[in-house]
Amino acid sequence: MLIRRAQDIRSSEITEESLYWDRRKFIGASAGAALAALIPVAPSLMRTRQDEKLTPYDSVTSYNNFYEFGVGKDDPKHNAHMLRTRPWTVAVEGAVHKPKVFDIEEILRKYPAEERIYRLRCVEAWSMVIPWMGFPLASLLKEVEPTSKAKYVQFVTLHDPEQMPGQLRTVLPWPYMEGLRLDEAMHPLTILATGLYGKMLPNQNGAPIRLVVPWKYGFKSIKSIVRIRLTDQEPPTSWNQVLAREYGFYANVNPDVSHPRWSQKKERRLGKIRKQDTLPFNGYADQVADLYAGMDLSRYY
Ligand SMILES: Nc1nc2c(c(=O)[nH]1)N[C@H]1C(S)=C(S)[C@@H](COP(=O)(O)O)O[C@H]1N2
Ligand SMILES: [Mo]
């Protein structure tokens, strides 16, 4: 009951963040201790919960980057209905003992979504706070048993210009591709999201399944994934292929490393007027900074 699966929640049940919080308060009052026992909440998530308001549902679902549906922020909302999210499969393959093509229904059944409130910061210096529904990517990767050769994980979005007309334009090399080092992929903060605000993921946010890596710039959080491939080499990524000087493989949120065309020191939280400071690793440094011990983060940006 407390860790609810996204598909168990009717879309009429929650329509906006204030109602959402009322529901949370109710759950908290009736079963606070049980909730605390069931969901391990990391310290920086606690901080998010205390100080940072959720970005309204309407903003989360109407101000998006999803170039497969156009390069304007409101294009995905208008065009993403063209994407058919069923049937849908995700192939997990490469350097694994048990490669497998998962049906999305099996994933939803086997890995019930739990709620994670994470900041998402775009490299373009806007940010949101989103109650995602998802599960650790590590769970899925463990099921296919990575071999000792697996050092990186590549992610690939659907490639179908009929459903994704933005792919007819050459703004990016298609399909959209991203990658993580294996330890980043296995980190407990890294999730595959299947919902937000307690509902199924809207198409414009990357239905039916997308990555969320909260300490990295938004472009690492690839949407509408059809393939996950474990590799021994650093995999190519779309943004790095098109503009290597501007978008590195690591893409950790870093206020001290400017994008070549703008500073990364501040960010605009959607719905707020005044800009706020961007935190190292997007505020998750206490949990992830040790992944990069000894690395020159101005070189490996
Ligand atoms: N397939 C795909 N994934 C993508 C993108 C994209 O254009 N195509 N845009 C990225 C960028 S730049 C950001 S900031 C986030 C935005 O996620 P949101 O729309 O859920 O806020 O998605 C990322 N994932
Ligand atoms: Mo972004």
Side-chain angles (χ1 to χ4, degrees), residues 65 73 120-124 126 176 217-220 239:
N65 274 339
K73 300 287 178 249
L120 179 138
R121 190 199 185 280
C122 181
V123 74
E124 298 165 272
W126 48 267
Y176 195 101
Y217 290 117
F219 67 90
K220 296 299 280 185
W239 281 104

